Amino acid sequence: MAPPQTWGVTIISIPQDIMALTLKKSICAIFLSRDSLSIQNIRGQGYDGASNMHGEWNGLQALFLKDCSFAYYIHCFAHRLKLALVAASKEVKNVYHFFTKLTTVVNIVGVSYKRYDELQVIQAEKIAHLLAIDEIESSRELNQIGTLQRAGDTRWSSHFNSVCSLIKMFDATCSILQNIITDDSTYSQRGDADVAYDAITSFEFIFILHLMQEIMEITDNLCQALQSQSQDILNALELVSTTKVLIQKIEKRWLGSIAREGLVKTGKSVIYPLVDRLICLVLTLPVSTTTIERAFSAMKIVKTRLRNKMEDEFLANTLVVNIEKEIAEKFTIESII
């Protein structure tokens, strides 16, 4: 038995009347009739979330379901994910304020070509300095200067890009704001820049900035995967479940940090020093003994029968070099001499 034929419909020219019945007639007349396709062979239909599309009783999907009960309606998983993330971010007060401040900073810095050029120059100087001191690697298409990006509600990936761009250009952005505060000609611009600088250098803003980057990196990967044309429903559900697990792990890891910034912020860390110390101990507990195990493995290699007669200090130095190979490889003979 031959597999069922699948086909897609893209409405390029939208009729003036966008009522569901008009849209259905247009699809049937232009696409189904032209290609001699039968409504009874439809096995799925997908549109956006507008009421005239997904309406349960009078929407476009409901009209097709009346003619073919197998034409199940699917609202785009990626679109639903974006809508859910945008709605969730607005429900959390601190996150909502964070994105409001982020938008303000991007608007202030990118309001003119002069500030844009200054931002590019400062970022280029920073990259050159980091390359000179071997803090970052140099390769093709790496260390692009870039610029700050705006976030839009209709494109959730833009939120992730906006967060990443600010993290990448944080120092340059702070420098631009400081220049505006000291050099700009108008009181309003200096005032706006001063408020923006205080906002992005606060602990709360930086904390949420890195938290959002980590969370949205996971959701962005899910969003990109859901947009694949070859994605099937079972794999999509599995991807959603995996994403939930990853976000829950992040939540548990960050809860401890939030609990201690609450103590410090309210001054209760002074009143309850033992509680504060207990939280610090929990946060700094090692989650792996790999480094220690690696040291014991290196000891078996370095401490041979002949080297066993060396002094402990010389042997310890040899072990350190063997264990920290990545650091030792950067040493030059001249520096050792």
Side-chain angles (χ1 to χ4, degrees):
M1 181 177 179
Q5 182 182 6
T6 59
W7 48 274
V9 174
T10 302
I11 303 178
I12 300 176
S13 58
I14 302 177
Q16 294 181 352
D17 183 3
I18 58 173
M19 293 183 62
L21 185 58
T22 304
L23 293 174
K24 181 191 176 185
K25 291 179 179 178
S26 300
I27 293 175
C28 293
I30 298 175
F31 296 101
L32 300 185
S33 300
R34 182 190 64 186
D35 298 323
S36 301
L37 297 172
S38 173
I39 292 181
Q40 298 303 320
N41 290 332
I42 297 178
R43 293 297 178 267
Q45 49 178 328
Y47 318 106
D48 62 18
S51 59
N52 61 334
M53 295 292 189
H54 76 60
E56 184 178 358
W57 305 108
N58 299 315
L60 181 59
Q61 63 96 11
L63 298 180
F64 274 112
L65 275 176
K66 292 177 181 178
D67 295 335
C68 178
S69 59
F70 302 106
Y72 296 111
Y73 166 69
I74 298 295
H75 186 181
C76 173
F77 271 57
H79 190 200
R80 291 165 65 183
L81 173 64
K82 293 178 183 179
L83 294 175
L85 291 172
V86 171
S89 67
K90 291 181 178 179
E91 288 295 326
V92 181
K93 182 180 67 174
N94 293 338
V95 176
Y96 175 78
H97 290 323
F98 163 79
F99 280 113
T100 302
K101 295 173 183 176
L102 177 59
T103 302
T104 301
V105 171
V106 174
N107 291 336
I108 292 175
V109 175
V111 71
S112 65
Y113 288 108
K114 178 184 177 182
R115 294 179 187 174
Y116 175 83
D117 292 339
E118 289 178 0
L119 184 71
Q120 298 273 297
V121 170
I122 296 174
Q123 182 67 10
E125 292 175 351
K126 177 189 174 183
I127 292 176
H129 173 69
L130 293 177
L131 288 172
I133 62 176
D134 293 330
E135 282 291 325
I136 56 177
E137 297 180 358
S138 176
S139 63
R140 187 177 182 182
E141 297 184 356
L142 195 64
N143 304 322
Q144 299 291 324
I145 296 177
T147 186
L148 297 181
Q149 299 187 25
R150 289 180 171 83
D153 285 350
T154 57
R155 296 177 294 110
W156 182 252
S157 295
S158 65
H159 288 70
F160 177 57
N161 295 334
S162 183
V163 167
C164 292
S165 66
L166 181 59
I167 291 177
K168 179 182 177 182
M169 309 188 75
F170 187 82
D171 292 341
T173 302
C174 289
S175 298
I176 292 295
L177 292 175
Q178 288 176 324
N179 292 341
I180 298 173
I181 294 171
T182 56
D183 302 333
D184 215 282
S185 58
T186 65
Y187 290 105
S188 61
Q189 291 177 343
R190 290 199 297 267
D192 292 342
D194 188 51
V195 172
Y197 181 81
D198 289 341
I200 69 171
T201 54
S202 66
F203 175 83
E204 181 180 8
F205 184 91
I206 296 175
F207 181 88
I208 298 178
L209 178 68
H210 288 277
L211 178 61
M212 287 295 101
Q213 183 198 29
E214 193 166 354
I215 292 177
M216 289 191 294
E217 185 175 11
I218 296 174
T219 57
D220 188 65
N221 291 335
L222 173 62
C223 185
Q224 300 302 326
L226 292 177
Q227 294 181 55
S228 173
Q229 292 184 352
S230 59
Q231 194 66 259
D232 61 78
I233 187 69
L234 293 178
N235 192 45
L237 293 174
E238 182 65 26
L239 288 171
V240 172
S241 299
T242 303
T243 301
K244 288 182 179 179
V245 173
L246 293 174
I247 293 178
Q248 288 170 353
K249 289 182 178 179
I250 293 177
E251 180 185 11
K252 292 178 181 178
R253 181 154 45 85
W254 284 87
L255 277 178
S257 300
I258 295 174
R260 180 164 193 269
E261 296 315 16
L263 284 176
V264 174
K265 187 174 181 180
T266 57
K268 293 181 179 179
S269 59
V270 179
I271 303 175
Y272 306 106
L274 294 180
V275 177
D276 181 60
R277 182 178 297 182
L278 178 61
I279 296 177
C280 288
L281 291 173
V282 172
L283 292 175
T284 55
L285 282 176
V287 295
S288 173
T289 59
T290 305
T291 306
I292 301 172
E293 296 296 336
R294 191 181 298 122
F296 281 110
S297 299
M299 185 179 295
K300 295 180 181 178
I301 300 173
V302 175
K303 194 173 182 179
T304 60
R305 182 177 62 85
L306 294 176
R307 287 177 175 167
N308 194 36
K309 299 179 181 180
M310 294 180 179
E311 295 182 359
D312 291 342
E313 184 179 357
F314 192 94
L315 183 61
N317 292 336
T318 307
L319 281 170
V320 170
V321 173
N322 185 279
I323 295 169
E324 304 294 347
K325 292 180 180 178
E326 296 180 357
I327 299 177
E329 288 174 354
K330 298 180 180 179
F331 294 163
T332 62
I333 296 178
E334 290 77 11
S335 65
I336 295 175
I337 294 175

